[in-house]
Amino acid sequence: MFRNAQIYRLPSPWAVTHQELEPHLSPQSFTAPSSIELKAQGWVAPRDSGMLVHAVNRQFLLQLTTEKKLLPSSVINQVTKVRAAELEEQQGFPPGRKQTKELKDQVTDELLPRAFSTQSRTWVWIDPVNGWLVVDAGTPGKAEEVLKLLFKAIPKFPLETLRTVMSPGAAMTDWLASDEAPAGFTVDQDTELRSTGEGKATVRYVRHALEADDMRQRIESGKQCTRLALTWADKISFTLTENLSIKKITLLDVFKEESMPTVRDENERFDGNFTLFTGEFAKLLASLVDALGGRIKKAA
């Protein structure tokens, strides 16, 4: 279901129901951008029920839609340049900074209604039972767009950044140096090591055996692991990064065999797979936090 995971913490358990969450999100329902807007964001129903919070077995699924108008600055500048030349011919002198800005704003307003639009959707999984909030975003910055809306919508939203005793970079470096993965995990064949020196020299291994002696030599020369491909419980493969982001989530055959291929109803199949995925991924997150020395809790 999710290809990436930006991970955050909620109180465990978080005593909020999907019925209580729904009205907070409704004012932020998605509406397509107007003719003079470059971008619009809002929540849409993840399934056909029309509810903005899709709840299955006390697990919540949200979907944020973002629509952007494609209006390259090069096009705006080109048209503005033509308009400025026409204005110079009319008034006998080139437009100043203020006139040029007004021309540019006018050109933008004229071109916006004709601009093409693109839509993107971002999944958000809330686990109020185990205290997780996961955004399917490749970067923390993309996840921040989601969090800003949630903080605005939900009064006193008790979300925290996930912090662990060991930094992922230090832990991954130790795993490679010792040639020993943490309990429940295996190290795969992709990694990235970067120098801590000024040059930031980087070595990447892709589908390449990670020989222990080679890894130790790289680490002793001053490099630290910034990305590492791992598999958890022979069910889920992923890449862990130094900022505790998870990328390239892949469900393995053992996991897929536990899905519900015989269910004919699409909604029932979706809910079954969602329940299976969230149940296993919550276990993965707990195991990962343990492997990183546990969670640093916010001071009271």
Side-chain angles (χ1 to χ4, degrees):
M1 286 200 168
F2 281 45
R3 289 289 295 160
N4 306 285
Q6 303 293 331
I7 312 160
Y8 305 90
R9 284 297 300 175
L10 287 165
S12 176
W14 186 39
V16 172
T17 67
H18 67 281
Q19 293 96 336
E20 293 170 329
L21 196 56
E22 182 81 20
H24 292 301
L25 300 182
S26 294
Q28 295 179 347
S29 296
F30 176 75
T31 302
S34 68
S35 60
I36 60 172
E37 290 180 311
L38 275 170
K39 177 181 175 181
Q41 280 185 318
W43 304 105
V44 297
R47 304 300 294 163
D48 297 335
S49 65
M51 302 295 290
L52 297 179
V53 184
H54 184 68
V56 184
N57 195 31
R58 285 285 289 148
Q59 301 296 305
F60 305 159
L61 184 66
L62 315 178
Q63 192 177 74
L64 181 73
T65 289
T66 302
E67 184 170 327
K68 294 180 180 180
K69 299 272 187 73
L70 298 180
L71 187 54
S73 58
S74 59
V75 173
I76 296 174
N77 292 337
Q78 182 179 355
V79 177
T80 301
K81 186 177 180 180
V82 172
R83 297 284 178 84
E86 293 173 350
L87 184 59
E88 180 179 357
E89 186 175 346
Q90 293 173 9
Q91 62 187 18
F93 56 89
R97 182 178 300 177
K98 182 179 178 181
Q99 276 189 309
T100 301
K101 184 182 182 304
E102 291 173 349
L103 277 176
K104 193 171 185 178
D105 291 342
Q106 181 182 348
V107 167
T108 301
D109 291 342
E110 291 177 6
L111 294 179
L112 265 176
R114 291 180 281 166
F116 289 102
S117 297
T118 61
Q119 273 195 1
S120 61
R121 298 191 172 185
T122 305
W123 293 104
V124 182
W125 161 42
I126 299 176
D127 178 357
V129 178
N130 299 295
W132 298 112
L133 186 145
V134 176
V135 182
D136 185 3
T139 64
K142 181 75 178 293
E144 283 295 323
E145 295 183 16
V146 176
L147 300 186
K148 285 179 182 178
L149 288 177
L150 290 175
F151 276 113
K152 186 177 180 180
I154 305 170
K156 299 180 180 179
F157 189 37
L159 192 70
E160 296 178 13
T161 300
L162 175 62
R163 298 189 302 150
T164 54
V165 173
M166 291 185 67
S167 72
M172 292 187 295
T173 302
D174 286 348
W175 300 339
L176 288 178
S178 64
D179 193 26
E180 185 175 351
F185 295 86
T186 56
V187 173
D188 296 335
Q189 295 188 323
D190 290 15
T191 191
E192 176 183 280
L193 297 104
R194 187 172 63 224
S195 173
T196 56
E198 187 175 338
K200 302 295 183 184
T202 303
V203 177
R204 295 184 180 91
Y205 293 79
V206 179
R207 293 187 293 277
H208 192 288
L210 307 182
E211 301 292 343
D213 290 342
D214 184 23
M215 294 297 104
R216 278 192 285 268
Q217 183 179 356
R218 300 284 187 186
I219 292 166
E220 289 170 1
S221 70
K223 290 184 172 60
Q224 185 176 56
C225 184
T226 55
R227 289 174 180 249
L228 184 63
L230 298 163
T231 293
W232 172 79
D234 295 326
K235 292 183 177 182
I236 304 176
S237 290
F238 62 96
T239 297
L240 178 65
T241 73
E242 61 182 338
N243 65 0
L244 201 45
S245 297
I246 292 178
K247 297 176 178 291
K248 299 182 180 180
I249 298 171
T250 303
L251 309 183
L252 303 183
D253 290 340
V254 172
F255 190 104
K256 294 175 182 177
E257 289 169 4
E258 297 178 10
S259 63
M260 304 173 66
T262 58
V263 178
R264 293 185 179 182
D265 181 78
E266 177 60 29
N267 289 324
E268 189 176 347
R269 179 184 291 108
F270 182 93
D271 288 352
N273 287 336
F274 178 58
T275 298
L276 180 61
F277 173 80
T278 54
E280 294 297 332
F281 208 78
K283 295 175 186 176
L284 183 159
L285 293 177
S287 296
L288 181 59
V289 169
D290 286 344
L292 296 173
R295 181 168 66 92
I296 299 175
K297 297 182 180 180
K298 187 177 180 180

